[in-house]
Amino acid sequence: FKPLMDSCFSSFLPGSDLIPPGACKSLNAAAVYANNEVNLAEVDIYGFDYDYTLALYSDALNTMIYNTARRFLIEHFKYPEGIRKYDYIQNFATRGLHYDIQKGLLMKIDAFHYIEPGTVYRGLSPVPDDEVLQLYGGTFHVPLQQDSGFYGKGPKVKQFMDIFSIPEMTLLAVANDFFITNDIDYDPVHLFKDVSEAIGMVHLKGYMYKWVMQDLDNFILRGEETDAVLHQLVTHGKKLFLITNSPFSFVDKGMTHMVGKNWRDFFDVVIVQADKPHFFTDCIKPFRRLDDNGALRWEKITSLDKGQIYKQGNLFDFLRLTHWRGSKVLYFGDHLYSDLADLMLRHGWRTGAIVPELENETKVVSTDKYALNLTWLQALTGLMERLQVQSTESKEVFQEWQREREELRVMTKNLFNPHFGSIFRTCHNPTYFSRRLSRFSDIYMTNLSSLLNYDQSYTFYPRRTPLQHEAPLWMDQLCTGCMKTPFLEDMSIIR
């Protein structure tokens, strides 16, 4: 081991650079990231969702949703008064988590349907890895037939993909924790359904709409940037449309606040209460027109006209009436399933995902602490990969490396979120959320204002990253895969 250790540790001695010179230290949260090649010069029509796309909301809204749903749970569903003592826990849950309905467990699952160790919570307490193995029959794998379906809703496991679902996950954890810590018998399935219904009541009864409309300055963020994006697109001759599940009065109030009372002049088509994702798959529900007072009209819709407001409808009629098809349409939304999946897979539209979490994640990835942890984690992994056949004397060293590697994994995870880590990665694999993001979005960004940094004829190119069998062609992989090849010295000159 000694010659190998001396060579590998030499770069970590005092006076040497701990972080490789090629390491990127300054990712840009305002950048647009590409999963697929997109040429904006070919895009003539831009479509938008409203909530968390055109309108971004402050964290104060999550607290209001949680507090009101908690009140419904106690007063309407007659849950114990003791639950009221649990305040909203900021940054407990992250988007993309899975919830085992029957077991009452919140967890993070990777792209291969494996639970990430250390990220399973029953209530507010982590579940030990050995107990997780027992609960899932000796494996961390969640079978496909039990996992969430196409829209994140499975028979036993649900995936929370909506930003609005963060207070729901927190309330689920809190309610479970109350019953467990007070040793009260309960049915996790009933609890899940009651919490879901309590959260639903906040939206159905219009509480969220009322809060936002009463205090637009407090709840809506970056409205001036939304205004700038719309102005830029219209100035360059692009057609714009809006498809949202929110009611017109709510959208009108918010858009007037951000853009001005003439905001409808920007859009060629405006559709409210669309009932996505059913809007994209239903071919029967007709469009209805609203008058200026928000009342429904009765006439049959034969065209979608600028300046008018339409309700419900379906994508098939939308395509027939507008003739907007294929890759010349780029639609933006925050929900990978409800907003983007059908448009990309069934209709060939370009799609853009709004991922506000990118802002914090890129800040973490750009820190020296993260780069140092990741560099040493990769180095340890390379050492362990090469030295799996050991002498008796070296086993202790190898075991020490294993322990240190696990410590580094936990440290790296905690830099993002102490409970669940990054929304994009487990220990080494992409998360289930990350895999869906790459599958259903051509491009993704923190918010729409990122578009202001690019020319209207700009082409987004996805970065070519190495497949595992291509690893020797990338210098940062030379410590692992290509060490197995007999031509290491010859290959080391490849850049």
Side-chain angles (χ1 to χ4, degrees):
F1 269 15
K2 192 174 185 308
L4 176 64
M5 290 176 65
D6 288 344
S7 65
C8 289
F9 281 93
S10 61
S11 62
F12 292 87
L13 293 175
S16 64
D17 291 331
L18 293 179
I19 301 172
C24 176
K25 300 181 183 179
S26 57
L27 286 176
N28 186 358
V32 173
Y33 296 95
N35 294 317
N36 194 15
E37 187 170 319
V38 177
N39 183 357
L40 292 183
E42 297 176 355
V43 177
D44 299 324
I45 303 113
Y46 285 76
F48 305 92
D49 181 30
Y50 179 71
D51 296 307
Y52 282 108
T53 302
L54 289 172
L56 296 178
Y57 301 116
S58 66
D59 290 338
L61 187 58
N62 282 342
T63 304
M64 298 284 282
I65 293 172
Y66 170 88
N67 289 340
T68 306
R70 180 188 58 185
R71 177 166 62 83
F72 286 152
L73 202 61
I74 295 168
E75 297 175 4
H76 180 80
F77 294 94
K78 307 304 179 184
Y79 273 59
E81 184 68 29
I83 293 176
R84 205 184 297 272
K85 297 178 181 178
Y86 289 83
D87 292 327
Y88 180 66
I89 306 170
Q90 196 77 24
N91 298 323
F92 169 74
T94 61
R95 193 154 57 121
L97 298 178
H98 284 72
Y99 185 79
D100 190 314
I101 297 169
Q102 295 179 324
K103 295 181 176 67
L105 300 176
L106 191 64
M107 68 190 76
K108 188 163 79 169
I109 294 180
D110 72 12
F112 301 94
H113 296 249
Y114 280 87
I115 301 167
E116 180 183 5
T119 66
V120 179
Y121 276 74
R122 180 185 289 115
L124 299 174
S125 302
V127 180
D129 292 341
D130 56 352
E131 185 178 343
V132 175
L133 285 172
Q134 291 179 356
L135 288 169
Y136 289 92
T139 179
F140 284 107
H141 184 258
V142 178
L144 179 63
Q145 66 272 17
Q146 293 181 19
D147 206 347
S148 56
F150 186 76
Y151 291 110
K153 299 176 182 179
K156 297 182 179 178
V157 178
K158 176 181 178 179
Q159 186 183 21
F160 289 101
M161 294 291 272
D162 194 343
I163 298 175
F164 283 129
S165 66
I166 291 176
E168 181 176 356
M169 287 184 274
T170 307
L171 186 57
L172 277 168
V174 158
N176 275 289
D177 190 78
F178 173 83
F179 286 120
I180 293 166
T181 55
N182 289 279
D183 198 24
I184 300 174
D185 189 37
Y186 72 105
D187 187 334
V189 177
H190 292 325
L191 174 62
F192 171 77
K193 291 181 177 179
D194 291 344
V195 169
S196 297
E197 191 170 338
I199 290 286
M201 289 170 67
V202 176
H203 298 282
L204 290 174
K205 290 179 177 289
Y207 282 92
M208 190 198 83
Y209 304 136
K210 182 178 70 174
W211 300 328
V212 174
M213 288 191 289
Q214 287 177 346
D215 196 353
L216 295 165
D217 288 324
N218 182 39
F219 289 112
I220 292 185
L221 305 173
R222 296 178 167 176
E224 69 283 353
E225 295 176 8
T226 295
D227 183 30
V229 170
L230 298 180
H231 268 96
Q232 184 185 73
L233 294 175
V234 170
T235 300
H236 285 83
K238 306 300 183 181
K239 293 184 179 296
L240 308 184
F241 66 93
L242 171 64
I243 302 177
T244 175
N245 286 350
S246 292
F248 173 69
S249 58
F250 177 67
V251 174
D252 182 51
K253 192 89 171 180
M255 290 300 295
T256 300
H257 173 75
M258 292 186 289
V259 179
K261 61 181 180 180
N262 296 324
W263 68 268
R264 287 158 63 177
D265 295 342
F266 285 103
F267 294 92
D268 293 87
V269 178
V270 175
I271 300 167
V272 299
Q273 292 178 273
D275 193 26
K276 294 179 293 182
H278 303 296
F279 178 88
F280 299 125
T281 55
D282 188 289
C283 59
I284 299 174
K285 190 180 294 181
F287 282 107
R288 300 286 300 273
R289 188 170 68 85
L290 301 179
D291 64 21
D292 291 337
N293 297 318
L296 282 170
R297 302 289 296 173
W298 57 85
E299 67 269 17
K300 183 177 181 179
I301 302 302
T302 57
S303 63
L304 297 176
D305 301 322
K306 187 169 184 174
Q308 301 298 318
I309 303 298
Y310 300 94
K311 179 181 176 181
Q312 297 176 346
N314 64 83
L315 184 66
F316 301 94
D317 282 342
F318 180 87
L319 296 174
R320 178 175 58 82
L321 295 172
T322 62
H323 305 291
W324 293 343
R325 299 177 182 276
S327 58
K328 69 179 181 179
V329 184
L330 173 56
Y331 184 80
F332 293 92
D334 68 289
H335 198 302
L336 301 183
Y337 298 144
S338 296
D339 289 326
L340 307 181
D342 287 303
L343 294 176
M344 169 174 273
L345 299 179
R346 298 170 188 250
H347 301 283
W349 286 14
R350 296 297 197 176
T351 55
I354 303 302
V355 188
E357 295 90 343
L358 265 173
E359 186 163 5
N360 181 64
E361 297 252 348
T362 52
K363 286 179 182 176
V364 172
V365 171
S366 299
T367 61
D368 285 347
K369 188 172 184 180
Y370 175 85
L372 190 62
N373 281 0
L374 187 62
T375 300
W376 186 222
L377 181 60
Q378 292 289 80
L380 273 178
T381 303
L383 288 171
M384 292 170 63
E385 182 181 32
R386 293 164 58 189
L387 299 168
Q388 296 180 59
V389 180
Q390 312 135 21
S391 62
T392 304
E393 305 82 51
S394 63
K395 282 186 177 178
E396 285 188 21
V397 177
F398 190 86
Q399 290 169 357
E400 179 61 33
W401 287 350
Q402 284 182 311
R403 286 190 291 270
E404 186 169 358
R405 182 169 178 258
E406 288 306 311
E407 289 173 3
L408 281 167
R409 282 178 159 184
V410 173
M411 288 168 60
T412 304
K413 182 196 84 171
N414 290 348
L415 290 174
F416 296 96
N417 177 291
H419 307 104
F420 301 101
S422 167
I423 72 168
F424 298 104
R425 277 199 178 275
T426 58
C427 294
H428 47 270
N429 290 332
T431 58
Y432 197 91
F433 173 88
S434 189
R435 179 61 59 87
R436 294 307 215 191
L437 177 67
S438 64
R439 181 69 184 91
F440 298 145
S441 66
D442 291 290
I443 56 177
Y444 62 100
M445 63 208 74
T446 304
N447 56 67
L448 285 175
S449 66
S450 297
L451 293 174
L452 298 171
N453 300 317
Y454 300 88
D455 186 81
Q456 291 300 303
S457 60
Y458 189 88
T459 299
F460 296 104
Y461 295 101
R463 296 173 183 173
R464 186 183 180 100
T465 54
L467 301 173
Q468 292 301 307
H469 66 274
E470 297 176 317
L473 300 178
W474 271 259
M475 285 303 294
D476 64 346
Q477 301 289 329
L478 287 177
C479 65
T480 55
C482 67
M483 295 303 292
K484 301 170 185 174
T485 71
F487 308 112
L488 178 60
E489 290 186 5
D490 294 337
M491 298 186 69
S492 65
I493 64 172
I494 299 175
R495 294 292 186 270

